Amino acid sequence: MGDRVRQLVENLSKTIVGKEDAIQLVLVALFSGGHALLEDVPGVGKTLLAKSLARCIDGTFQRVQCTPDLLPADITGTNIWNPSSGEFQFLPGPIFAHVLLTDEINRATPRTQSALLEVMEEHQMTLDGVSRPVPMPFFVIATQNPVEYQGTFPLPEAQMDRFALSFTLGYPSEAEETRMLDRLATPTRPQDLQPCITPDEVAAIQSQCAQVRVEDSVKQYLLALVRATREHPDITLGVSPRGSVAFYRAIQALAFLSDRDYVLPDDVKRLAPYVLAHRLIPAGGHQAAILIQNLLDGVPIPA
């Protein structure tokens, strides 16, 4: 991990109090080339984290507040008639940004949610037969409230599978919340942060992460966990090959953030709940997190 990345972590810690694990996980998602889903209660700093990250990487930031009346064109953009030129002109939507925050994504209808499927996977948007690339790196942070279900539309499996990691910020401890209140006298807002890394450097780091060495034994351990989700009697739908690729890239990014050029089995164990659980459909009322822990306890760890 270079000096720029350390400064990035320090900058994020100025606005996000006491959430070192969450900062590490969101950077794993970013540097692995994936996206992050934050399933948490309101008011714990999800939007603040997204805005701070965009500011620190000197990238463009867009926010979409999802509601049932939101249309796909409100996200992707649309063609409008330009009377002066006598032709249609493309008006870009908020997806044309480096960091896109889709707040309360499960309040959008399935039709609107589907507007993100292509761009999250292929980093482009197609309208009227014309494909337009989005800025790179392109990073989606989506949030949803796991408590309130009235007026929400659960994300389909294809949408969930496009998020590299899913995690929560959680409530702060008493000491962390005290520090948060102490900072109110001289608060650090996202716009007060100084950019410490550029989007081009983020793309370069993504390439470096892809070169982190993964031994065959660790690779087989990862695949054993993935394949176990497909064969478990209490799991209706296991992890897809896309999930295997996301898992592989995520452990490489975690090793990079840990100042290593090789992956350890502990990296696989550390990220398994965040990469695999949201991709499962448990059977019979079982909880995905508990099933993943059972698999981690049952699959042998390589020496």
Side-chain angles (χ1 to χ4, degrees), residues 57-58 98 136-137 197-207:
I57 68 171
D58 200 19
H98 291 107
M136 293 298 291
I197 193 170
T198 67
D200 288 342
E201 289 174 319
V202 172
I205 291 172
Q206 291 175 341
S207 298

Side-chain angles (χ1 to χ4, degrees), residues 159-222:
Q159 183 79 66
M160 294 291 282
D161 203 28
R162 280 165 167 76
F163 289 103
L165 283 80
S166 176
F167 57 94
T168 66
L169 295 181
Y171 287 118
S173 66
E174 182 177 353
E176 292 166 351
E177 203 157 8
T178 300
R179 285 168 53 201
M180 188 186 310
L181 297 179
D182 290 341
R183 289 187 179 185
L184 291 179
T186 55
T188 301
R189 301 168 299 174
Q191 56 268 33
D192 297 330
L193 297 174
Q194 291 299 316
C196 55
I197 193 170
T198 67
D200 288 342
E201 289 174 319
V202 172
I205 291 172
Q206 291 175 341
S207 298
Q208 291 178 39
C209 289
Q211 303 303 315
V212 172
R213 188 172 74 255
V214 183
E215 297 292 343
D216 287 342
S217 60
V218 177
K219 190 184 306 178
Q220 293 306 315
Y221 178 48
L222 180 152

Side-chain angles (χ1 to χ4, degrees), residues 221 225 228 269 272 289-301:
Y221 178 48
L225 287 170
K269 292 186 66 175
I290 295 177
L291 291 172
I292 293 298
Q293 187 57 53
N294 291 340
L295 293 177
L296 288 171
D297 294 337
V299 175
I301 302 173

Side-chain angles (χ1 to χ4, degrees), residues 19 23 30 76 96 145 148 160 164 191 211 217 273 290 296:
K19 296 298 178 185
I23 290 174
L30 173 65
T76 61
F96 290 90
N145 184 346
E148 188 176 355
M160 294 291 282
Q191 56 268 33
Q211 303 303 315
S217 60
I290 295 177
L296 288 171

Side-chain angles (χ1 to χ4, degrees), residues 8-284:
L8 174 60
V9 174
E10 292 174 3
N11 263 14
L12 291 173
S13 299
K14 293 178 182 178
T15 56
I16 310 297
V17 179
K19 296 298 178 185
E20 289 79 9
D21 286 348
I23 290 174
Q24 184 185 59
L25 290 173
V26 79
L27 292 181
V28 165
L30 173 65
F31 293 149
S32 67
H35 309 285
L37 175 63
L38 306 186
E39 299 184 271
D40 219 330
V41 296
V44 293
K46 300 184 295 294
T47 302
L48 182 63
L49 176 59
K51 294 178 71 173
S52 300
L53 178 62
R55 176 63 176 168
C56 288
I57 68 171
D58 200 19
T60 52
F61 172 79
Q62 292 286 351
R63 179 178 184 268
V64 176
Q65 180 61 55
C66 295
T67 56
D69 60 348
L70 190 74
L71 298 176
D74 296 328
I75 295 178
T76 61
T78 188
N79 289 319
I80 60 173
W81 180 255
N82 188 334
S84 60
S85 63
E87 57 185 14
F88 282 97
Q89 178 181 345
F90 178 67
L91 184 65
I95 62 169
F96 290 90
H98 291 107
V99 178
L100 172 66
L101 172 66
T102 53
D103 213 358
E104 295 186 297
I105 187 173
N106 56 334
R107 289 197 176 278
T109 62
R111 179 188 177 198
T112 302
Q113 291 176 15
S114 68
L116 290 167
L117 292 179
E118 179 187 12
V119 70
M120 289 179 69
E121 183 72 14
E122 302 175 30
H123 299 151
Q124 66 176 24
M125 187 280 298
T126 303
L127 178 66
D128 294 339
V130 178
S131 296
R132 295 177 172 87
V134 294
M136 293 298 291
F138 175 69
F139 184 51
V140 175
I141 299 182
T143 72
Q144 62 177 358
N145 184 346
V147 177
E148 188 176 355
Y149 294 107
Q150 185 174 0
T152 62
F153 304 87
L155 270 63
E157 288 73 29
Q159 183 79 66
M160 294 291 282
D161 203 28
R162 280 165 167 76
F163 289 103
L165 283 80
S166 176
F167 57 94
T168 66
L169 295 181
Y171 287 118
S173 66
E174 182 177 353
E176 292 166 351
E177 203 157 8
T178 300
R179 285 168 53 201
M180 188 186 310
L181 297 179
D182 290 341
R183 289 187 179 185
L184 291 179
T186 55
T188 301
R189 301 168 299 174
Q191 56 268 33
D192 297 330
L193 297 174
Q194 291 299 316
C196 55
I197 193 170
T198 67
D200 288 342
E201 289 174 319
V202 172
I205 291 172
Q206 291 175 341
S207 298
Q208 291 178 39
C209 289
Q211 303 303 315
V212 172
R213 188 172 74 255
V214 183
E215 297 292 343
D216 287 342
S217 60
V218 177
K219 190 184 306 178
Q220 293 306 315
Y221 178 48
L222 180 152
L223 289 175
L225 287 170
V226 168
R227 299 189 70 84
T229 66
R230 304 169 187 167
E231 302 164 359
H232 199 287
D234 294 327
I235 298 176
T236 303
L237 179 68
V239 176
S240 69
R242 181 193 285 122
S244 302
V245 173
F247 200 1
Y248 189 87
R249 290 174 174 168
I251 60 174
Q252 288 178 308
L254 179 59
F256 173 84
L257 288 170
S258 303
D259 285 321
R260 282 183 275 107
D261 62 355
Y262 56 91
V263 173
L264 296 174
D266 284 346
D267 297 327
V268 178
K269 292 186 66 175
R270 162 94 166 97
L271 291 183
Y274 307 109
V275 178
L276 303 182
H278 67 282
R279 292 182 157 88
L280 304 182
I281 298 183

